[in-house]
Amino acid sequence: MIFERIATGGCQSYLVGCEATCAAVLIDPELSQIDHYRGLCAQHGLSVKYVIDTHTHADHFSASRELGKALGVPVVMHRLAPAPYADLRLDDGDMLIVGELRLKALHTPGHTRDSMSLVMEDRVFTGDALLIGGTGRTDLPTGDPHQLYESLFEGLLKLPSETAVYPAHDYKGRGHSTIGAEIADNPRLQKTERAEFVTMMQALDLAAPTHLTEALRTNMSGGKTVAQLLSEAAAKVPFMSLAELNGRLGGNSRDLVILDIREKDAFDAGHVPGAVHLPRGQLELRVNSELPDPTVRILTCCEFGKISTLAAATLRELGYGRAVALDGGMKAWREAEFPLES
């Protein structure tokens, strides 16, 4: 078996391949690692057959949809997963055949209702149900401590004690554990009675994941992250440097329209000399009256250079083919001590 564990902070994903057939699966892939996964597959000569998410992640962005499209393979999730882009939905006990490898789905709800573990002959990929020295939390959407208790004590912990445990998260670089070691040493598993386990889980006071809303929104729907939107917009527009813009000030105003898309109070507090004010929220509604010449060169600027990138991409989609964005935004302009007008 070819096996690679890929860490992204505390998030763990896995590439599992069959040496005999070069068929492989990717488990819980993370969006920022797409090129890494593809590089590993090329290095080992593997062909991915399935991309699998063990559950709907709330703390990072799944790469399953993007990889499924790029590789032309099914995205696999549990049948209760809300994601509309899941191509193959598994029930408890269903099995995936990958060359000579077998992966059986074990429904392990509790962290989320769609959580499943993937059981192989010598190891189990537990998602966020069972962690090394811990368990998944149950206070996020669709979590349930009663279900987690059953998933652990009536499911995962009945696997052979030597079964290796590979979770979807580990923040201490431990890699893997075993069922036997977790039964012996995992403090949460010492609460073997349902009532005391549930009480313990309900008493946990855990901070919400950093990207909770955005991760749930994108992973549940297949929508785009803000970073993806910005990256796609940046690929569609050219930029102008601060120094280049400064050098062009005072020239023929017909050659360049500087469009400040911040709110009025920010614009009034200080803007590039000669800039025209058009808030981003009104851009599509006022663009025809404010920018009657679609052939003019338009430079968009905002506070940090992000919203202006989106605005420049929108303008190009609307037919303003010479729209560009200011690299760095007004914060960088002020820090460089270039001239301001108020």
Side-chain angles (χ1 to χ4, degrees), residues 54-56 78-82 107-116 140-144 147:
T54 57
H55 63 287
T56 300
H78 188 265
R79 68 175 180 84
L80 295 178
H107 190 205
T108 49
H111 175 62
T112 64
R113 69 191 293 259
D114 66 328
S115 290
M116 66 178 179
L140 298 180
T142 76
D144 185 320
Q147 288 187 335

Side-chain angles (χ1 to χ4, degrees), residues 251-323:
N252 189 335
S253 61
R254 291 176 298 177
D255 294 337
L256 178 67
V257 174
I258 304 168
L259 195 67
D260 193 316
I261 61 169
R262 296 174 298 164
E263 295 302 315
K264 187 176 186 302
D265 55 349
F267 178 80
D268 290 343
H271 52 265
V272 176
V276 175
H277 181 228
L278 177 55
R280 175 62 186 91
Q282 300 178 30
L283 181 63
E284 289 85 351
L285 298 177
R286 293 172 52 190
V287 66
N288 294 325
S289 59
E290 298 291 336
L291 301 168
D293 182 358
T295 68
V296 73
R297 192 178 192 185
I298 303 166
L299 180 135
T300 60
C301 59
C302 65
E303 187 65 16
F304 300 108
K306 295 182 178 181
I307 304 302
S308 57
T309 302
L310 295 171
T314 297
L315 286 170
R316 286 197 165 230
E317 290 177 359
L318 291 172
Y320 295 86
R322 299 179 67 199

Side-chain angles (χ1 to χ4, degrees), residues 135-255:
T135 66
R137 61 197 295 170
T138 58
D139 60 332
L140 298 180
T142 76
D144 185 320
H146 290 277
Q147 288 187 335
L148 184 60
Y149 176 85
E150 294 166 4
S151 295
L152 293 169
F153 290 96
E154 299 174 17
L156 285 168
L157 300 184
K158 291 188 175 182
L159 293 173
S161 62
E162 66 273 15
T163 305
V165 173
Y166 289 93
H169 290 90
D170 183 66
Y171 296 92
K172 298 182 179 179
R174 292 169 290 192
H176 72 280
S177 180
T178 64
I179 292 294
E182 292 308 306
I183 291 174
D185 301 325
N186 189 321
R188 291 192 188 175
L189 301 184
Q190 307 315 304
K191 306 290 188 182
T192 57
E193 296 298 323
R194 178 191 291 264
E196 61 179 1
F197 179 85
V198 169
T199 298
M200 172 190 65
M201 295 303 297
Q202 291 176 333
L204 296 177
D205 186 18
L206 302 174
T210 304
H211 303 289
L212 174 62
T213 299
E214 188 176 16
L216 285 175
R217 172 179 62 77
T218 57
N219 293 337
M220 291 176 71
S221 68
K224 295 179 179 179
T225 68
V226 173
Q228 282 178 300
L229 287 175
L230 288 170
S231 177
E232 291 173 5
K236 298 175 183 177
V237 301
F239 293 83
M240 183 179 290
S241 71
L242 302 173
E244 179 72 18
L245 175 58
N246 185 54
R248 289 175 176 269
L249 294 181
N252 189 335
S253 61
R254 291 176 298 177
D255 294 337

Side-chain angles (χ1 to χ4, degrees), residues 29-110:
E30 203 274 342
L31 190 60
S32 67
Q33 296 278 15
I34 287 180
D35 289 340
H36 190 183
Y37 301 132
R38 302 190 76 164
L40 286 173
C41 289
Q43 176 186 328
H44 293 293
L46 295 173
S47 175
V48 173
K49 302 303 181 185
Y50 300 105
V51 180
I52 309 170
D53 268 330
T54 57
H55 63 287
T56 300
H57 299 284
D59 55 358
H60 71 269
F61 306 115
S62 170
S64 291
R65 185 188 186 197
E66 295 300 319
L67 282 168
K69 288 193 299 183
L71 301 176
V73 300
V75 174
V76 181
M77 299 187 75
H78 188 265
R79 68 175 180 84
L80 295 178
Y85 55 85
D87 304 297
L88 180 58
R89 298 175 180 272
L90 302 183
D91 262 306
D92 185 69
D94 286 351
M95 184 172 66
L96 295 177
I97 297 177
V98 184
E100 297 180 355
L101 305 178
R102 303 292 188 271
L103 296 89
K104 186 178 78 170
L106 178 64
H107 190 205
T108 49

